[in-house]
Coordinates of all heavy atoms in Angstrom, one line a residue:
C196 N -10.0 27.3 24.0 CA -9.3 26.0 23.7 C -9.7 25.5 22.3 O -10.9 25.5 22.0 CB -9.8 25.0 24.8 SG -9.6 23.2 24.3
L198 N -9.7 22.5 20.9 CA -10.6 21.4 20.8 C -12.0 21.7 21.3 O -13.0 21.2 20.7 CB -10.0 20.2 21.5 CG -10.7 18.8 21.3 CD1 -10.9 18.5 19.8 CD2 -10.0 17.7 21.9
C199 N -12.1 22.5 22.4 CA -13.5 22.9 22.8 C -14.2 23.6 21.7 O -15.4 23.3 21.4 CB -13.4 23.9 24.0 SG -13.2 23.1 25.6
H240 N -14.1 21.0 28.9 CA -12.6 21.2 28.8 C -11.9 20.4 29.9 O -12.1 20.5 31.1 CB -12.3 22.6 29.0 CG -10.8 22.9 28.8 ND1 -10.2 22.7 27.6 CD2 -9.9 23.3 29.7 CE1 -8.9 23.0 27.8 NE2 -8.7 23.4 29.0
M241 N -11.0 19.5 29.5 CA -10.2 18.7 30.4 C -8.8 18.5 29.8 O -8.7 17.6 28.9 CB -10.9 17.4 30.7 CG -10.4 16.7 31.9 SD -11.1 15.1 32.2 CE -12.6 15.5 33.0
G302 N -4.6 22.8 26.2 CA -4.6 21.3 25.9 C -5.9 20.7 26.3 O -6.6 21.2 27.2
H303 N -6.4 19.7 25.6 CA -7.6 19.0 25.9 C -7.4 17.6 25.5 O -7.2 17.3 24.3 CB -8.7 19.7 25.0 CG -10.1 19.3 25.3 ND1 -11.2 20.2 25.3 CD2 -10.7 18.1 25.5 CE1 -12.3 19.5 25.5 NE2 -12.0 18.2 25.6
Ligands
LIG402 ZN1 -11.0 22.3 25.8

Side-chain angles (χ1 to χ4, degrees):
C196 160
L198 189 54
C199 278
H240 183 66
M241 195 186 276
H303 186 141

